[in-house]
CSV table of all heavy atoms in Angstrom, one decimal:
chain,number,residue,atom,x,y,z
A,20,MET,N,124.9,132.6,162.2
A,20,MET,CA,125.8,132.3,161.2
A,20,MET,C,127.0,131.6,161.8
A,20,MET,O,127.6,130.6,161.2
A,20,MET,CB,126.4,133.6,160.5
A,20,MET,CG,127.3,133.3,159.4
A,20,MET,SD,126.6,132.4,158.0
A,20,MET,CE,126.1,133.8,156.9
A,21,GLY,N,127.4,131.9,163.0
A,21,GLY,CA,128.5,131.3,163.6
A,21,GLY,C,128.2,129.8,164.1
A,21,GLY,O,129.1,128.9,164.1
A,22,GLN,N,126.9,129.7,164.5
A,22,GLN,CA,126.5,128.3,164.9
A,22,GLN,C,126.5,127.4,163.7
A,22,GLN,O,126.9,126.2,163.8
A,22,GLN,CB,125.1,128.3,165.4
A,22,GLN,CG,125.1,128.5,166.9
A,22,GLN,CD,123.7,128.3,167.4
A,22,GLN,OE1,122.8,129.0,167.2
A,22,GLN,NE2,123.6,127.3,168.3
A,23,VAL,N,126.2,127.9,162.5
A,23,VAL,CA,126.3,127.0,161.3
A,23,VAL,C,127.7,126.6,161.0
A,23,VAL,O,127.9,125.5,160.7
A,23,VAL,CB,125.7,127.8,160.0
A,23,VAL,CG1,125.9,127.0,158.7
A,23,VAL,CG2,124.2,128.1,160.3
A,24,ALA,N,128.6,127.6,161.2
A,24,ALA,CA,130.0,127.2,161.0
A,24,ALA,C,130.5,126.2,162.0
A,24,ALA,O,131.3,125.3,161.6
A,24,ALA,CB,130.9,128.5,161.1
A,25,VAL,N,130.1,126.3,163.3
A,25,VAL,CA,130.4,125.4,164.2
A,25,VAL,C,129.9,124.0,163.9
A,25,VAL,O,130.5,122.9,163.9
A,25,VAL,CB,130.0,125.7,165.7
A,25,VAL,CG1,130.2,124.7,166.6
A,25,VAL,CG2,130.8,127.0,166.1
A,26,GLY,N,128.6,124.0,163.5
A,26,GLY,CA,128.0,122.8,163.2
A,26,GLY,C,128.6,122.0,161.9
A,26,GLY,O,128.9,120.8,162.0
A,27,ILE,N,129.0,122.8,160.9
A,27,ILE,CA,129.7,122.3,159.8
A,27,ILE,C,131.1,121.7,160.2
A,27,ILE,O,131.6,120.6,159.7
A,27,ILE,CB,129.9,123.3,158.6
A,27,ILE,CG1,128.4,123.5,158.0
A,27,ILE,CG2,130.9,122.8,157.6
A,27,ILE,CD1,128.4,124.7,157.1
A,28,ALA,N,131.8,122.5,161.0
A,28,ALA,CA,133.1,122.1,161.5
A,28,ALA,C,133.0,120.8,162.3
A,28,ALA,O,133.9,119.9,162.1
A,28,ALA,CB,133.7,123.2,162.4
A,29,ILE,N,132.0,120.7,163.1
A,29,ILE,CA,131.8,119.4,163.9
A,29,ILE,C,131.6,118.2,162.9
A,29,ILE,O,132.2,117.2,163.0
A,29,ILE,CB,130.7,119.5,165.0
A,29,ILE,CG1,131.2,120.4,166.1
A,29,ILE,CG2,130.3,118.2,165.6
A,29,ILE,CD1,130.1,120.8,167.0
A,30,ALA,N,130.7,118.5,161.9
A,30,ALA,CA,130.4,117.4,161.0
A,30,ALA,C,131.5,116.9,160.2
A,30,ALA,O,131.7,115.8,159.8
A,30,ALA,CB,129.2,117.9,160.0
A,31,VAL,N,132.4,118.0,159.8
A,31,VAL,CA,133.6,117.5,159.0
A,31,VAL,C,134.7,117.0,159.8
A,31,VAL,O,135.3,116.0,159.5
A,31,VAL,CB,134.1,118.9,158.2
A,31,VAL,CG1,135.4,118.6,157.6
A,31,VAL,CG2,133.0,119.3,157.2
A,32,LEU,N,135.0,117.6,160.9
A,32,LEU,CA,136.2,117.3,161.8
A,32,LEU,C,136.0,116.0,162.7
A,32,LEU,O,136.8,115.2,162.8
A,32,LEU,CB,136.6,118.4,162.6
A,32,LEU,CG,137.2,119.6,161.8
A,32,LEU,CD1,137.5,120.8,162.7
A,32,LEU,CD2,138.4,119.3,160.9
A,33,VAL,N,134.7,116.0,163.2
A,33,VAL,CA,134.4,114.9,164.2
A,33,VAL,C,133.0,114.4,163.9
A,33,VAL,O,132.0,114.7,164.6
A,33,VAL,CB,134.5,115.3,165.6
A,33,VAL,CG1,134.5,114.2,166.6
A,33,VAL,CG2,135.6,116.3,165.9
A,34,PRO,N,132.8,113.6,162.7
A,34,PRO,CA,131.5,113.3,162.3
A,34,PRO,C,130.7,112.4,163.4
A,34,PRO,O,129.5,112.5,163.4
A,34,PRO,CB,131.7,112.4,161.1
A,34,PRO,CG,133.2,112.6,160.7
A,34,PRO,CD,133.8,113.2,161.9
A,35,GLN,N,131.4,111.7,164.2
A,35,GLN,CA,130.7,110.8,165.1
A,35,GLN,C,129.9,111.6,166.3
A,35,GLN,O,129.1,111.3,167.0
A,35,GLN,CB,131.6,109.8,165.8
A,35,GLN,CG,132.6,110.3,166.6
A,35,GLN,CD,134.0,110.6,165.8
A,35,GLN,OE1,134.0,110.8,164.6
A,35,GLN,NE2,135.1,110.7,166.6
A,36,LEU,N,130.4,113.0,166.4
A,36,LEU,CA,129.7,113.9,167.4
A,36,LEU,C,128.6,114.7,166.8
A,36,LEU,O,128.0,115.4,167.6
A,36,LEU,CB,130.7,114.8,168.1
A,36,LEU,CG,131.9,114.1,168.9
A,36,LEU,CD1,132.8,115.1,169.5
A,36,LEU,CD2,131.2,113.3,170.0
A,37,THR,N,128.4,114.6,165.5
A,37,THR,CA,127.4,115.5,164.9
A,37,THR,C,126.0,115.3,165.5
A,37,THR,O,125.4,116.4,165.9
A,37,THR,CB,127.3,115.2,163.4
A,37,THR,OG1,128.6,115.4,162.8
A,37,THR,CG2,126.3,116.1,162.6
A,38,LEU,N,125.5,114.1,165.7
A,38,LEU,CA,124.1,113.9,166.3
A,38,LEU,C,124.1,114.3,167.7
A,38,LEU,O,123.1,114.8,168.2
A,38,LEU,CB,123.7,112.5,166.0
A,38,LEU,CG,123.4,112.2,164.6
A,38,LEU,CD1,123.0,110.7,164.4
A,38,LEU,CD2,122.2,113.1,164.0
A,39,ARG,N,125.2,114.1,168.5
A,39,ARG,CA,125.3,114.4,169.9
A,39,ARG,C,125.3,116.0,170.1
A,39,ARG,O,124.9,116.5,171.1
A,39,ARG,CB,126.4,113.8,170.5
A,39,ARG,CG,126.3,112.3,170.6
A,39,ARG,CD,127.4,111.6,171.2
A,39,ARG,NE,127.7,111.9,172.5
A,39,ARG,CZ,128.7,111.4,173.2
A,39,ARG,NH1,129.6,110.8,172.6
A,39,ARG,NH2,128.8,111.7,174.4
A,40,ALA,N,125.9,116.8,169.1
A,40,ALA,CA,126.1,118.2,169.3
A,40,ALA,C,124.9,118.9,168.8
A,40,ALA,O,124.6,120.0,169.2
A,40,ALA,CB,127.3,118.6,168.5
A,41,LEU,N,124.0,118.3,168.0
A,41,LEU,CA,122.8,119.0,167.3
A,41,LEU,C,121.8,119.5,168.5
A,41,LEU,O,121.4,120.7,168.4
A,41,LEU,CB,122.1,118.1,166.4
A,41,LEU,CG,120.9,118.7,165.6
A,41,LEU,CD1,121.4,119.8,164.9
A,41,LEU,CD2,120.3,117.6,164.7
A,42,PRO,N,121.5,118.7,169.4
A,42,PRO,CA,120.6,119.3,170.5
A,42,PRO,C,121.1,120.4,171.3
A,42,PRO,O,120.4,121.4,171.6
A,42,PRO,CB,120.3,118.0,171.4
A,42,PRO,CG,120.6,116.9,170.6
A,42,PRO,CD,121.6,117.2,169.6
A,43,LEU,N,122.5,120.4,171.6
A,43,LEU,CA,123.1,121.5,172.2
A,43,LEU,C,123.1,122.8,171.4
A,43,LEU,O,122.8,123.8,171.9
A,43,LEU,CB,124.5,121.2,172.5
A,43,LEU,CG,125.3,122.2,173.4
A,43,LEU,CD1,124.6,122.5,174.7
A,43,LEU,CD2,126.7,121.7,173.5
A,44,GLN,N,123.2,122.6,170.1
A,44,GLN,CA,123.2,123.8,169.2
A,44,GLN,C,121.8,124.3,169.1
A,44,GLN,O,121.6,125.6,169.1
A,44,GLN,CB,123.8,123.4,167.8
A,44,GLN,CG,125.2,123.4,167.8
A,44,GLN,CD,125.8,123.5,166.4
A,44,GLN,OE1,125.3,122.7,165.5
A,44,GLN,NE2,126.6,124.4,166.2
A,45,LEU,N,120.9,123.5,169.1
A,45,LEU,CA,119.4,123.9,169.1
A,45,LEU,C,119.2,124.7,170.3
A,45,LEU,O,118.3,125.6,170.3
A,45,LEU,CB,118.5,122.7,168.8
A,45,LEU,CG,118.6,122.1,167.4
A,45,LEU,CD1,117.6,121.0,167.3
A,45,LEU,CD2,118.2,123.2,166.3
A,46,LEU,N,119.6,124.3,171.4
A,46,LEU,CA,119.4,124.9,172.7
A,46,LEU,C,120.0,126.2,172.8
A,46,LEU,O,119.5,127.2,173.4
A,46,LEU,CB,119.7,124.0,173.9
A,46,LEU,CG,118.8,122.9,174.1
A,46,LEU,CD1,119.4,122.0,175.3
A,46,LEU,CD2,117.5,123.3,174.7
A,47,ALA,N,121.2,126.3,172.2
A,47,ALA,CA,122.0,127.5,172.3
A,47,ALA,C,121.5,128.6,171.3
A,47,ALA,O,121.7,129.8,171.5
A,47,ALA,CB,123.4,127.2,172.0
A,48,ALA,N,120.7,128.2,170.3
A,48,ALA,CA,120.2,129.2,169.3
A,48,ALA,C,119.4,130.3,169.8
A,48,ALA,O,119.5,131.4,169.5
A,48,ALA,CB,119.5,128.3,168.2
A,49,CYS,N,118.5,130.0,170.7
A,49,CYS,CA,117.5,130.9,171.2
A,49,CYS,C,118.2,132.0,172.2
A,49,CYS,O,118.1,133.2,171.8
A,49,CYS,CB,116.4,130.2,172.1
A,49,CYS,SG,115.1,131.4,172.6
A,50,PRO,N,119.1,131.6,173.1
A,50,PRO,CA,119.6,132.7,173.9
A,50,PRO,C,120.7,133.5,173.0
A,50,PRO,O,120.8,134.7,173.2
A,50,PRO,CB,120.5,131.8,174.9
A,50,PRO,CG,119.8,130.5,175.0
A,50,PRO,CD,119.3,130.2,173.7
A,51,LEU,N,121.2,132.9,172.1
A,51,LEU,CA,122.3,133.7,171.3
A,51,LEU,C,121.4,134.6,170.4
A,51,LEU,O,121.9,135.8,170.3
A,51,LEU,CB,123.0,132.7,170.4
A,51,LEU,CG,124.1,131.8,171.1
A,51,LEU,CD1,124.8,130.9,170.1
A,51,LEU,CD2,125.2,132.8,171.7
A,52,ALA,N,120.3,134.2,169.9
A,52,ALA,CA,119.5,135.2,169.1
A,52,ALA,C,119.0,136.3,170.0
A,52,ALA,O,119.0,137.5,169.5
A,52,ALA,CB,118.4,134.4,168.4
A,53,ILE,N,118.6,136.1,171.2
A,53,ILE,CA,118.2,137.1,172.1
A,53,ILE,C,119.3,138.2,172.4
A,53,ILE,O,119.1,139.3,172.4
A,53,ILE,CB,117.6,136.6,173.4
A,53,ILE,CG1,116.3,135.8,173.0
A,53,ILE,CG2,117.4,137.5,174.4
A,53,ILE,CD1,115.7,135.0,174.2
A,54,LEU,N,120.5,137.6,172.7
A,54,LEU,CA,121.6,138.5,172.9
A,54,LEU,C,121.9,139.3,171.7
A,54,LEU,O,122.1,140.6,171.8
A,54,LEU,CB,122.8,137.7,173.3
A,54,LEU,CG,122.9,137.0,174.6
A,54,LEU,CD1,124.0,136.1,174.8
A,54,LEU,CD2,122.7,138.1,175.7
A,55,LEU,N,121.9,138.8,170.5
A,55,LEU,CA,122.1,139.6,169.3
A,55,LEU,C,121.0,140.7,169.1
A,55,LEU,O,121.4,141.8,168.9
A,55,LEU,CB,122.2,138.7,168.1
A,55,LEU,CG,123.3,137.8,168.0
A,55,LEU,CD1,123.2,136.8,166.7
A,55,LEU,CD2,124.6,138.6,167.8
A,56,MET,N,119.9,140.3,169.4
A,56,MET,CA,118.8,141.3,169.2
A,56,MET,C,118.8,142.4,170.3
A,56,MET,O,118.7,143.6,170.0
A,56,MET,CB,117.3,140.6,169.3
A,56,MET,CG,117.0,139.9,168.1
A,56,MET,SD,115.3,139.2,168.1
A,56,MET,CE,115.5,137.8,169.3
A,57,MET,N,119.2,142.1,171.5
A,57,MET,CA,119.4,143.1,172.5
A,57,MET,C,120.5,144.0,172.2
A,57,MET,O,120.4,145.2,172.4
A,57,MET,CB,119.6,142.4,173.9
A,57,MET,CG,118.4,141.8,174.5
A,57,MET,SD,118.7,140.8,176.0
A,57,MET,CE,119.7,142.0,177.0
A,58,ASN,N,121.6,143.5,171.7
A,58,ASN,CA,122.7,144.3,171.3
A,58,ASN,C,122.4,145.3,170.1
A,58,ASN,O,122.6,146.4,170.2
A,58,ASN,CB,123.9,143.4,170.8
A,58,ASN,CG,125.1,144.2,170.6
A,58,ASN,OD1,125.3,145.3,171.1
A,58,ASN,ND2,126.0,143.6,169.7
A,59,GLN,N,121.6,144.8,169.2
A,59,GLN,CA,121.1,145.7,168.2
A,59,GLN,C,120.2,146.7,168.6
A,59,GLN,O,120.2,147.9,168.2
A,59,GLN,CB,120.4,144.9,167.0
A,59,GLN,CG,120.2,145.6,165.8
A,59,GLN,CD,121.3,146.3,165.2
A,59,GLN,OE1,122.4,145.7,165.1
A,59,GLN,NE2,121.2,147.5,164.7
A,60,MET,N,119.3,146.4,169.6
A,60,MET,CA,118.3,147.4,170.2
A,60,MET,C,119.1,148.5,170.9
A,60,MET,O,118.7,149.6,170.8
A,60,MET,CB,117.3,146.7,171.0
A,60,MET,CG,116.3,145.9,170.3
A,60,MET,SD,115.2,144.9,171.3
A,60,MET,CE,114.5,146.2,172.4
A,61,ASP,N,120.1,148.1,171.6
A,61,ASP,CA,120.9,149.1,172.3
A,61,ASP,C,121.7,150.0,171.4
A,61,ASP,O,121.6,151.2,171.6
A,61,ASP,CB,122.1,148.4,173.2
A,61,ASP,CG,121.5,147.8,174.4
A,61,ASP,OD1,120.3,148.1,174.8
A,61,ASP,OD2,122.1,146.9,175.0
A,62,LYS,N,122.2,149.6,170.3
A,62,LYS,CA,122.7,150.4,169.2
A,62,LYS,C,121.7,151.3,168.6
A,62,LYS,O,122.0,152.5,168.4
A,62,LYS,CB,123.5,149.5,168.1
A,62,LYS,CG,124.7,148.8,168.6
A,62,LYS,CD,125.3,148.1,167.5
A,62,LYS,CE,126.5,147.2,167.9
A,62,LYS,NZ,127.0,146.4,166.8
A,63,ASP,N,120.6,150.8,168.3
A,63,ASP,CA,119.5,151.6,167.8
A,63,ASP,C,119.0,152.7,168.8
A,63,ASP,O,118.9,153.9,168.4
A,63,ASP,CB,118.3,150.8,167.3
A,63,ASP,CG,118.6,149.9,166.1
A,63,ASP,OD1,119.6,150.2,165.5
A,63,ASP,OD2,117.8,148.9,166.0
A,64,SER,N,119.0,152.4,170.0
A,64,SER,CA,118.6,153.3,171.0
A,64,SER,C,119.6,154.4,171.2
A,64,SER,O,119.2,155.6,171.3
A,64,SER,CB,118.4,152.6,172.4
A,64,SER,OG,118.1,153.5,173.3
A,65,ILE,N,120.8,154.1,171.2
A,65,ILE,CA,121.9,155.1,171.4
A,65,ILE,C,121.9,156.0,170.2
A,65,ILE,O,122.0,157.3,170.3
A,65,ILE,CB,123.2,154.5,171.6
A,65,ILE,CG1,123.3,153.8,172.9
A,65,ILE,CG2,124.4,155.3,171.4
A,65,ILE,CD1,124.6,152.8,173.1
A,66,SER,N,121.8,155.4,169.0
A,66,SER,CA,121.7,156.3,167.7
A,66,SER,C,120.6,157.2,167.7
A,66,SER,O,120.7,158.3,167.4
A,66,SER,CB,121.6,155.3,166.5
A,66,SER,OG,121.5,156.1,165.4
A,67,ALA,N,119.3,156.8,168.1
A,67,ALA,CA,118.2,157.6,168.2
A,67,ALA,C,118.3,158.8,169.1
A,67,ALA,O,117.9,159.9,168.9
A,67,ALA,CB,117.0,156.7,168.5
A,68,SER,N,118.8,158.4,170.4
A,68,SER,CA,118.9,159.5,171.3
A,68,SER,C,120.0,160.5,170.9
A,68,SER,O,119.8,161.7,171.2
A,68,SER,CB,119.3,158.9,172.7
A,68,SER,OG,120.6,158.3,172.7
A,69,SER,N,121.1,160.0,170.3
A,69,SER,CA,122.1,161.1,169.9
A,69,SER,C,121.5,161.9,168.8
A,69,SER,O,121.8,163.1,168.6
A,69,SER,CB,123.4,160.4,169.5
A,69,SER,OG,123.1,159.6,168.3
A,70,HIS,N,120.7,161.3,167.9
A,70,HIS,CA,120.0,162.0,166.8
A,70,HIS,C,119.1,163.1,167.4
A,70,HIS,O,119.0,164.2,166.9
A,70,HIS,CB,119.3,161.1,165.9
A,70,HIS,CG,118.5,161.9,164.8
A,70,HIS,ND1,119.1,162.5,163.8
A,70,HIS,CD2,117.2,162.0,164.6
A,70,HIS,CE1,118.3,163.0,163.0
A,70,HIS,NE2,117.1,162.7,163.5
A,71,ARG,N,118.3,162.8,168.4
A,71,ARG,CA,117.4,163.6,169.1
A,71,ARG,C,118.1,164.9,169.7
A,71,ARG,O,117.7,166.0,169.5
A,71,ARG,CB,116.5,163.0,170.2
A,71,ARG,CG,115.1,162.8,169.8
A,71,ARG,CD,114.3,162.2,170.9
A,71,ARG,NE,114.3,160.8,170.8
A,71,ARG,CZ,114.6,159.9,171.7
A,71,ARG,NH1,115.1,160.4,172.9
A,71,ARG,NH2,114.6,158.6,171.6
A,72,ARG,N,119.3,164.6,170.3
A,72,ARG,CA,120.1,165.7,170.9
A,72,ARG,C,120.6,166.6,169.8
A,72,ARG,O,120.8,167.8,170.1
A,72,ARG,CB,121.2,165.1,171.8
A,72,ARG,CG,120.7,164.8,173.2
A,72,ARG,CD,121.8,164.3,174.0
A,72,ARG,NE,121.8,162.9,173.9
A,72,ARG,CZ,122.9,162.1,173.9
A,72,ARG,NH1,124.1,162.7,174.2
A,72,ARG,NH2,122.8,160.8,173.8
A,73,SER,N,120.9,166.0,168.7
A,73,SER,CA,121.5,166.9,167.7
A,73,SER,C,120.6,167.8,167.1
A,73,SER,O,120.9,168.8,166.4
A,73,SER,CB,122.2,166.1,166.6
A,73,SER,OG,121.2,165.3,165.9
A,74,LEU,N,119.2,167.6,167.3
A,74,LEU,CA,118.3,168.5,166.7
A,74,LEU,C,118.2,169.9,167.4
A,74,LEU,O,117.7,170.8,167.0
A,74,LEU,CB,116.9,167.8,166.8
A,74,LEU,CG,116.8,166.6,165.9
A,74,LEU,CD1,115.4,166.0,166.1
A,74,LEU,CD2,117.0,166.9,164.4
A,75,LEU,N,118.7,169.9,168.8
A,75,LEU,CA,118.7,171.1,169.5
A,75,LEU,C,119.9,171.8,169.4
A,75,LEU,O,121.0,171.2,169.4
A,75,LEU,CB,118.4,170.7,171.0
A,75,LEU,CG,117.1,170.2,171.4
A,75,LEU,CD1,117.2,169.7,172.9
A,75,LEU,CD2,116.0,171.1,171.2
A,76,PRO,N,119.9,173.1,169.3
A,76,PRO,CA,121.2,173.9,169.4
A,76,PRO,C,121.9,173.6,170.6
A,76,PRO,O,121.4,173.6,171.7
A,76,PRO,CB,120.7,175.4,169.2
A,76,PRO,CG,119.2,175.3,169.3
A,76,PRO,CD,118.7,173.9,169.3
A,77,ALA,N,123.2,173.6,170.5
A,77,ALA,CA,124.1,173.3,171.6
A,77,ALA,C,124.0,174.4,172.7
A,77,ALA,O,124.2,174.1,173.9
A,77,ALA,CB,125.5,173.1,171.2
A,78,SER,N,123.8,175.6,172.3
A,78,SER,CA,123.7,176.7,173.3
A,78,SER,C,122.5,176.8,174.1
A,78,SER,O,122.5,177.5,175.1
A,78,SER,CB,124.0,178.0,172.4
A,78,SER,OG,122.8,178.3,171.6
A,79,LYS,N,121.4,176.2,173.6
A,79,LYS,CA,120.2,176.2,174.4
A,79,LYS,C,120.1,175.2,175.5
A,79,LYS,O,120.1,174.0,175.3
A,79,LYS,CB,119.0,176.1,173.4
A,79,LYS,CG,117.7,176.3,174.1
A,79,LYS,CD,116.6,176.2,173.2
A,79,LYS,CE,115.2,176.3,174.0
A,79,LYS,NZ,114.1,176.4,173.1
A,80,LEU,N,120.0,175.7,176.8
A,80,LEU,CA,119.9,174.8,177.9
A,80,LEU,C,118.4,174.7,178.2
A,80,LEU,O,117.7,175.7,178.3
A,80,LEU,CB,120.7,175.2,179.1
A,80,LEU,CG,122.2,175.3,179.0
A,80,LEU,CD1,122.8,175.9,180.2
A,80,LEU,CD2,122.7,173.9,178.7
A,81,LEU,N,117.9,173.4,178.4
A,81,LEU,CA,116.4,173.3,178.6
A,81,LEU,C,116.1,173.1,180.1
A,81,LEU,O,116.9,172.5,180.8
A,81,LEU,CB,115.9,172.1,177.9
A,81,LEU,CG,116.2,172.1,176.4
A,81,LEU,CD1,115.7,170.7,175.8
A,81,LEU,CD2,115.4,173.2,175.8
A,82,ASN,N,115.0,173.7,180.6
A,82,ASN,CA,114.7,173.4,182.0
A,82,ASN,C,113.9,172.1,182.0
A,82,ASN,O,113.7,171.3,181.0
A,82,ASN,CB,113.8,174.6,182.5
A,82,ASN,CG,112.5,174.7,181.8
A,82,ASN,OD1,112.0,173.8,181.3
A,82,ASN,ND2,112.0,175.9,181.8
A,83,ARG,N,113.4,171.6,183.2
A,83,ARG,CA,112.8,170.4,183.4
A,83,ARG,C,111.6,170.2,182.5
A,83,ARG,O,111.4,169.1,181.9
A,83,ARG,CB,112.5,170.2,184.8
A,83,ARG,CG,111.9,168.8,185.1
A,83,ARG,CD,111.8,168.7,186.6
A,83,ARG,NE,111.1,167.5,187.0
A,83,ARG,CZ,109.8,167.2,187.0
A,83,ARG,NH1,109.0,168.1,186.7
A,83,ARG,NH2,109.4,166.0,187.3
A,84,ASP,N,110.8,171.2,182.4
A,84,ASP,CA,109.5,171.1,181.6
A,84,ASP,C,109.8,170.9,180.2
A,84,ASP,O,109.1,170.2,179.4
A,84,ASP,CB,108.6,172.3,181.9
A,84,ASP,CG,108.1,172.3,183.4
A,84,ASP,OD1,107.9,171.2,183.9
A,84,ASP,OD2,107.8,173.4,183.8
A,85,GLU,N,110.8,171.7,179.7
A,85,GLU,CA,111.1,171.6,178.3
A,85,GLU,C,111.8,170.3,177.9
A,85,GLU,O,111.5,169.7,176.8
A,85,GLU,CB,112.1,172.7,177.9
A,85,GLU,CG,111.5,174.1,178.0
A,85,GLU,CD,112.5,175.2,177.9
A,85,GLU,OE1,113.7,175.0,178.2
A,85,GLU,OE2,112.1,176.3,177.4
A,86,GLN,N,112.5,169.8,178.9
A,86,GLN,CA,113.1,168.4,178.7
A,86,GLN,C,112.0,167.3,178.6
A,86,GLN,O,112.0,166.5,177.7
A,86,GLN,CB,114.1,168.0,179.7
A,86,GLN,CG,115.4,168.8,179.7
A,86,GLN,CD,116.4,168.5,180.8
A,86,GLN,OE1,115.9,167.8,181.7
A,86,GLN,NE2,117.5,169.0,180.8
A,87,LEU,N,111.0,167.5,179.4
A,87,LEU,CA,109.9,166.4,179.5
A,87,LEU,C,109.1,166.6,178.0
A,87,LEU,O,108.7,165.6,177.6
A,87,LEU,CB,109.0,166.7,180.6
A,87,LEU,CG,109.5,166.3,182.0
A,87,LEU,CD1,108.6,166.6,183.1
A,87,LEU,CD2,109.8,164.7,181.9
A,88,ALA,N,109.0,167.8,177.6
A,88,ALA,CA,108.2,168.0,176.4
A,88,ALA,C,109.0,167.4,175.2
A,88,ALA,O,108.4,166.8,174.3
A,88,ALA,CB,108.0,169.5,176.1
A,89,GLN,N,110.4,167.5,175.3
A,89,GLN,CA,111.1,166.9,174.2
A,89,GLN,C,111.0,165.4,174.3
A,89,GLN,O,111.0,164.7,173.1
A,89,GLN,CB,112.6,167.3,174.4
A,89,GLN,CG,112.9,168.7,173.9
A,89,GLN,CD,112.7,168.9,172.4
A,89,GLN,OE1,113.1,168.0,171.6
A,89,GLN,NE2,112.1,170.0,172.0
A,90,LEU,N,111.0,164.8,175.4
A,90,LEU,CA,111.0,163.3,175.5
A,90,LEU,C,109.6,162.8,175.1
A,90,LEU,O,109.5,161.7,174.6
A,90,LEU,CB,111.2,162.9,177.0
A,90,LEU,CG,112.6,163.2,177.5
A,90,LEU,CD1,112.7,162.8,179.0
A,90,LEU,CD2,113.5,162.2,176.7
A,91,ARG,N,108.6,163.7,175.2
A,91,ARG,CA,107.2,163.2,174.8
A,91,ARG,C,107.0,163.2,173.4
A,91,ARG,O,106.1,162.5,172.7
A,91,ARG,CB,106.1,164.0,175.5
A,91,ARG,CG,106.0,163.7,176.9
A,91,ARG,CD,104.9,164.5,177.6
A,91,ARG,NE,104.9,164.3,179.0
A,91,ARG,CZ,104.9,165.2,179.9
A,91,ARG,NH1,105.0,166.4,179.5
A,91,ARG,NH2,104.9,164.9,181.2
A,92,VAL,N,107.9,163.9,172.6
A,92,VAL,CA,107.7,164.0,171.2
A,92,VAL,C,108.1,162.7,170.4
A,92,VAL,O,108.7,161.8,170.9
A,92,VAL,CB,108.6,165.2,170.6
A,92,VAL,CG1,108.7,165.1,169.1
A,92,VAL,CG2,108.1,166.5,171.2
């Protein structure tokens, strides 16, 4: 969405640079999309792990084998 706004701004403010900026924007699209997806995956991972921990009572401490069993679920 931000790249579209930058492209429109370039086209409106500096029209002679529009065709020169297009390849750069196309090259930047892939890395930016990857960064956004990685950020979203991190958020989902943190949310899922906190949800898993909330399923256990806070007073129950698990030993190593019980923790491994929980991770396998």
Side-chain angles (χ1 to χ4, degrees):
M20 186 61 100
Q22 266 192 298
V23 173
V25 170
I27 291 172
I29 290 172
V31 170
L32 299 174
V33 193
Q35 66 270 21
L36 292 181
T37 302
L38 290 178
R39 291 173 70 187
L41 185 61
L43 182 59
Q44 283 199 307
L45 291 174
L46 285 173
C49 185
L51 289 174
I53 289 172
L54 288 174
L55 289 172
M56 285 187 282
M57 287 174 47
N58 187 24
Q59 186 61 41
M60 287 174 55
D61 285 344
K62 287 180 184 177
D63 291 346
S64 174
I65 290 169
S66 174
S68 67
S69 65
H70 176 69
R71 254 187 264 124
R72 276 184 269 149
S73 68
L74 295 176
L75 293 174
S78 62
K79 183 174 180 179
L80 297 176
L81 301 176
N82 64 28
R83 182 176 179 272
D84 293 330
E85 292 171 332
Q86 289 177 352
L87 288 173
Q89 285 292 321
L90 290 174
R91 289 186 182 123
V92 173

